RNA sequence: GGCGCCGUACCCAAGUGGCUAAGGGAGCAGUCUGCAAAACUGCGAUGCGGCGGUUCGAACCCGCCCGGCGCCUCCA
């Protein structure tokens, strides 16, 4: 039985979908005004894995992730850089897709943009106005928080607490300081759409209500995002949506924890800010390896816990993956002998599959699930020592791929064993050149000229190439 | 001021009432090897920030304290 920590109830709730066999989930994506950082990567990855896991246990998933493509931050950026807001949106939308692609994060089934849903947004605002939950102020429209008594139920806040801590100057015209904009009138030169209240653009919160309802219905299963969205964004979404429909909005609210640097939240002002792009540019490994290492690293912390990003952590993730891919490569080799342990393999795989499911059923406990995969690696290594048939080796490989696919791991065919130009850049040698050196070294070894053999090995090691001699006299190498 | 989170070995990190406190990385010792590498085997917290309490029994529940962090403003 899958249980999910639900921010709304503050506890782990058993998951029961609204419609049996299907899951409808909506996740707040990004505002496309800048490069994505590791925090965005974590959030996107967490929900990618959740979506995959639902698929793995047999649900038909509809996954919606939005892009906020009209917003103050976009407009400000555009005016600072003296270009159109559309150009800003286009640039960072592409950057997002590039980064997510590198991380192996699949696009959502539907990726709506706020600007594509202006009519839905206007209709929803009109509905709120009609029901008395919103009011007009010149060309603006505000949501009236006082008309929704349950306001604060997601973030567990009381109205008076919010006022006490208010750190912003309050717009004097608002009826209540907590009221928030549904529609903002535009100044000349700003993006604008016609509306019953004059030209303007949607406020931030309303787009998610409109888009999720449009694509998933007025009530759906899961709504997710980063913890910082709990208040005010998701609180406001609930207020708007429930007030408009008189129905429950999302049933399970899932929020991921922050990425920190040295125990502090990343922020531009602290200067401890890492973009996904920088990590890939700085990495000495090929792109797909960096992507998988980052993925592995992020998944070895539970999604709700804070995660401290570090180069060391990333490196350790890479080393752990080296161990897995080293095993996969040995499993690919043809068996010399048929061992007696093939039945044990099936048992071990079954046990792992069960434990893996148990871990993931427990609020998507990816660190525990990864630990099961590590356990399987260790078991298969032992069985391989004792001897596994070619067929059993293939069975083991397929099991890793199947379980790994939930997390987007173990899907690469090659791991540092490829002939790609990027690798040549690192080692300075082509495969053919390496093969030739290895051959020369083995001839030296046969002549017992170990000094020469070791010299070649050292030379290769300096270029990042590791040698493994096998018992049968052949040599395996890897970059 | 309000709300909330975290503190488990050298590092990362599961476990949240009951078998000997998962797993990985690093380290040390050994097997294998010409030597390595990889793999395998063994070693490693009598203790889970501290002090009390509840309980037959607590890292897990309760209280207080210490340390760190987040939200309350745009933010994944």
């Amino acid at each position: 039985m899958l249980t999910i920590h639900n921010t709304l109830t503050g506890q782990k709730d058993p998951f029961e979908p609204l419609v049996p066999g299907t899951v409808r989930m909506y996740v707040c994506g990004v505002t496309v005004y800048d490069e994505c950082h590791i925090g965005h990567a974590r959030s996107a990855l967490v929900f990618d894995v959740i979506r995959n896991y639902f698929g793995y246990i047999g649900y038909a998933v509809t996954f919606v992730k939005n892009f906020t493509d009209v917003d103050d931050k976009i407009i400000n950026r555009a005016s600072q850089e003296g270009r159109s807001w559309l150009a800003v949106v286009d640039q960072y939308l592409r950057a997002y897709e590039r980064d997510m692609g590198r991380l192996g994060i699949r696009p959502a089934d539907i990726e709506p943009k706020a600007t594509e849903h202006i009519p839905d947004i206007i209709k929803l605002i009109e509905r709120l106005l009609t029901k008395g939950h919103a009011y007009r102020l010149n060309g603006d429209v505000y949501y009236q928080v006082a008309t929704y008594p349950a306001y604060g139920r997601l973030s567990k806040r009381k109205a008076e607490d919010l006022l006490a801590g208010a750190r912003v100057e309050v717009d004097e015209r608002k009826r209540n300081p907590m009221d928030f904009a549904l529609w903002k009138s535009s100044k000349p030169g700003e993006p604008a759409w016609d509306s019953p209240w004059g030209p303007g653009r949607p406020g931030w919160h309303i787009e998610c209500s409109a888009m999720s309802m449009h694509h998933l219905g007025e009530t759906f299963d899961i709504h997710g995002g980063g913890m910082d969205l709990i208040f005010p964004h998701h609180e406001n979404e609930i207020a708007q949506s429930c007030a408009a429909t008189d129905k429950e909005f999302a049933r399970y609210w899932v929020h991921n924890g922050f990425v920190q640097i040295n125990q502090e939240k990343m922020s531009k002002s602290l200067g401890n800010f890492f973009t996904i792009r920088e990590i890939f540019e700085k990495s000495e490994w090929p792109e797909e390896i960096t992507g998988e290492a980052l993925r592995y690293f992020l998944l070895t912390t539970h999604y709700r816990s804070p995660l401290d990003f570090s180069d060391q952590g990333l490196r350790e993730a890479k080393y752990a993956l080296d161990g897995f891919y080293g095993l996969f490569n040995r499993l690919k080799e043809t068996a010399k002998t048929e061992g007696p342990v093939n039945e044990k393999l099936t048992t071990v795989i079954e046990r792992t599959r069960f434990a893996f499911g148990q871990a993931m059923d427990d609020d998507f406990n990816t660190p525990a699930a990864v630990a099961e995969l590590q356990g399987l690696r260790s078991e298969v290594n032992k069985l391989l020592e004792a001897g596994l048939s070619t067929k059993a080796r293939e069975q083991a490989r397929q099991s890793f791929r199947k379980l790994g696919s939930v997390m987007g791991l173990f899907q690469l065919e090659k791991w540092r064993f490829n002939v790609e130009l990027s690798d040549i850049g690192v080692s300075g040698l082509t495969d053919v050149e390496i093969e030739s050196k290895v051959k020369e070294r083995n001839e030296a070894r046969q002549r017992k000229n170990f000094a020469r053999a070791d010299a070649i090995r050292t030379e290769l090691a300096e270029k990042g190439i590791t040698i493994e001699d096998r018992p049968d006299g052949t040599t395996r190498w890897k970059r």
Side-chain angles (χ1 to χ4, degrees):
Chain A
M1 183 61 172
L2 172 63
T3 59
I4 302 177
H5 181 90
N6 187 352
T7 309
L8 204 53
T9 60
Q11 60 185 22
K12 282 185 200 173
D13 293 333
F15 179 71
E16 287 166 31
L18 203 57
V19 178
T22 69
V23 175
R24 287 175 291 172
M25 58 188 281
Y26 183 93
V27 170
C28 291
V30 294
T31 301
V32 279
Y33 77 106
D34 205 348
E35 294 278 333
C36 290
H37 57 245
I38 315 165
H40 295 110
R42 184 183 194 194
S43 186
L45 178 58
V46 161
F47 292 103
D48 185 49
V49 170
I50 288 175
R51 169 251 210 125
N52 287 344
Y53 187 64
F54 276 123
Y56 172 82
I57 57 178
Y59 285 102
V61 183
T62 306
F63 177 35
V64 180
K65 179 164 67 181
N66 76 296
F67 286 109
T68 298
D69 63 344
V70 56
D71 176 89
D72 290 349
K73 294 191 290 292
I74 295 169
I75 296 166
N76 291 342
R77 179 129 199 166
S79 74
Q80 274 165 21
E81 297 175 357
R83 55 180 176 152
S84 113
W85 64 278
L86 287 165
V88 172
V89 166
D90 184 64
Q91 178 186 342
Y92 294 111
L93 204 58
R94 285 169 197 275
Y96 182 88
E97 284 167 355
R98 175 202 64 210
D99 289 343
M100 296 305 142
R102 284 169 159 179
L103 282 164
I105 292 169
R106 289 187 296 140
D109 301 308
I110 304 166
E111 300 195 326
K113 300 181 184 74
T115 58
E116 293 168 348
H117 286 268
I118 301 293
D120 293 315
I121 292 168
I122 290 174
K123 259 184 273 171
L124 188 57
I125 296 173
E126 284 188 310
R127 224 166 141 182
L128 288 165
L129 278 165
T130 305
K131 296 183 80 169
H133 290 292
Y135 56 93
R136 297 174 58 171
L137 259 180
N138 304 323
D140 301 335
V141 182
Y142 283 91
Y143 182 87
Q144 190 168 6
V145 171
T147 65
Y148 185 69
Y151 191 79
R153 69 185 168 114
L154 182 71
S155 55
K156 318 275 186 282
R157 285 160 216 263
K158 300 187 200 86
E160 50 269 35
D161 297 342
L162 291 167
L163 289 178
R167 280 186 272 158
V168 270
E169 284 193 32
V170 173
D171 183 340
E172 295 296 329
R173 303 172 306 157
K174 290 198 288 190
R175 294 184 189 172
N176 183 303
M178 287 187 298
D179 292 350
F180 54 90
L182 298 171
W183 188 262
K184 297 177 173 183
S185 56
S186 296
K187 299 188 194 84
E190 287 181 352
W193 288 263
D194 286 329
S195 80
W197 321 289
R201 57 196 154 87
W204 176 37
H205 315 295
I206 194 72
E207 61 172 275
C208 285
S209 292
M211 288 190 281
S212 56
M213 285 190 212
H214 181 266
H215 291 288
L216 297 174
E218 292 182 343
T219 305
F220 54 94
D221 298 299
I222 291 177
H223 193 132
M227 300 212 84
D228 51 344
L229 297 182
I230 294 171
F231 190 90
H233 186 53
H234 288 162
E235 194 69 72
N236 290 354
E237 277 188 55
I238 290 176
Q240 294 162 349
S241 306
C242 295
T245 66
D246 293 314
K247 292 178 191 161
E248 182 57 292
F249 182 45
R251 304 168 63 236
Y252 298 84
W253 288 83
V254 179
H255 294 100
N256 65 274
F258 282 112
V259 175
Q260 312 179 332
I261 308 287
N262 298 324
Q263 338 289 347
E264 281 181 323
K265 178 180 172 175
M266 288 193 301
S267 78
K268 286 180 179 172
S269 54
L270 287 168
N272 58 354
F273 196 78
F274 288 92
T275 64
I276 301 172
R277 169 184 221 148
E278 283 169 345
I279 289 170
F280 277 93
E281 284 173 356
K282 248 176 44 187
S283 173
E284 65 214 38
W285 311 315
E287 184 169 299
E288 66 274 21
I289 288 175
T290 304
E292 186 156 352
L294 190 51
R295 214 175 155 106
Y296 188 99
F297 170 69
L298 294 171
L299 292 175
T300 46
T301 297
H302 185 87
Y303 77 90
R304 284 192 288 116
S305 303
L307 180 155
D308 215 55
F309 180 79
S310 67
D311 287 337
Q312 192 197 340
L314 189 58
R315 216 176 306 120
E316 287 181 3
K318 158 72 166 54
Y319 293 155
L321 284 167
D322 282 341
F324 279 105
Y325 277 96
L327 172 60
F328 301 159
N329 279 301
R330 272 174 276 126
L331 287 172
K332 266 193 260 185
E333 291 164 0
T334 311
K336 299 250 171 7
T337 51
E338 300 290 300
V341 294
N342 295 343
E343 322 77 52
K344 279 191 193 164
L345 178 67
T346 306
T347 312
V348 167
I349 289 172
E350 263 321 303
R351 204 191 305 139
T352 302
R353 191 174 295 164
F354 179 76
F356 179 91
Q358 293 269 296
M360 292 299 285
D361 274 352
D362 181 15
D363 194 27
F364 310 109
N365 191 337
T366 54
V370 168
E372 293 304 330
L373 296 173
Q374 289 169 335
L376 182 62
R377 180 186 76 174
S378 173
E379 291 299 323
V380 172
N381 262 325
K382 285 176 208 168
L383 295 175
L384 193 58
E385 289 262 302
L388 281 179
S389 68
T390 304
K391 205 178 152 195
R393 290 165 183 237
E394 184 54 23
Q395 183 194 356
R397 252 167 58 76
Q398 289 310 321
S399 300
F400 278 110
R401 284 181 89 81
K402 181 81 197 299
L403 293 174
S405 70
V406 174
M407 311 220 205
L409 301 173
F410 312 149
Q411 306 302 304
L412 297 177
E413 276 306 322
K414 298 169 179 172
W415 183 260
R416 306 188 75 181
F417 283 75
N418 39 8
V419 202
E420 290 175 23
L421 289 170
S422 59
D423 282 3
I424 294 169
V426 172
S427 71
L429 290 176
T430 63
D431 281 22
V432 176
E433 286 166 338
I434 293 166
E435 297 287 1
S436 153
K437 291 279 182 195
V438 168
K439 193 172 168 228
E440 190 189 337
R441 172 170 168 274
N442 278 340
E443 284 162 4
R445 286 172 69 214
Q446 275 162 24
R447 292 194 308 271
K448 305 277 184 208
N449 184 354
F450 296 121
R452 176 65 191 143
D454 290 351
I456 294 171
R457 183 168 60 199
T458 306
E459 182 193 336
L460 288 173
E462 280 164 2
K463 292 179 175 167
I465 291 147
T466 313
I467 296 283
E468 282 178 38
D469 295 326
R470 282 181 285 195
D472 64 2
T474 59
T475 295
R476 181 194 282 136
W477 61 269
K478 57 185 183 181
R479 295 184 203 268

